[in-house]
């Protein structure tokens, strides 16, 4: 369930960023948007499309029609690049790190 919620959140974030472009073609010029588009499309493909495909192949019996599909699981490592992007942003803006630490302390 959590994986589907993350996928829904990131797909919503991507769609909001896409609609923010006044000229949609400018999205192709923004390298981070293109990279995020690739990550979100991979996540949507893995989470929703492959799950539906595997259920269709297995006939809904729960048996793994395609084995464990570990190659697709390796694609999840691409998501770590989003964390690396956030770490780079926090290093570039120490004030933002102070705000994040304050929010984490407030949640305790």
């Amino acid at each position: 369930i959590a994986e589907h919620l993350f996928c829904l959140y990131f797909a919503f974030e991507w769609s909001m960023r896409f609609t923010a472009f006044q000229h949609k073609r400018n999205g192709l010029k923004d390298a981070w948007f293109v990279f995020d588009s690739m990550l979100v499309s991979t996540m949507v493909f893995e989470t929703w499309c492959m799950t539906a495909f595997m259920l269709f192949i297995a006939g809904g019996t729960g048996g793994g029609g395609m084995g464990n599909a570990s190659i697709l699981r390796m694609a999840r490592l691409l998501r770590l690049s989003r964390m690396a992007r956030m770490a780079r942003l926090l290093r570039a803006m120490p004030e933002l790190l102070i705000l994040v630490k304050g929010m984490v302390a407030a949640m305790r």
Side-chain angles (χ1 to χ4, degrees), residues 4 34 52 56 66 71 83 94 105:
H4 293 283
V34 172
F56 178 73
M66 289 183 59
I71 294 173
M83 292 299 295

Side-chain angles (χ1 to χ4, degrees), residues 38-85:
M38 184 182 68
L39 290 178
V40 169
S41 62
T42 303
M43 180 187 290
V44 166
F45 178 75
E46 177 190 358
T47 304
W48 294 330
C49 299
M50 281 305 295
T51 302
F53 181 70
M54 289 171 69
L55 286 174
F56 178 73
I57 294 296
T61 60
M66 289 183 59
N68 62 0
S70 62
I71 294 173
L72 293 176
R73 303 267 181 231
M74 294 296 290
R76 289 184 180 178
L77 291 175
L78 288 174
R79 292 185 206 169
L80 289 176
S81 62
R82 289 182 77 94
M83 292 299 295
R85 178 180 173 195

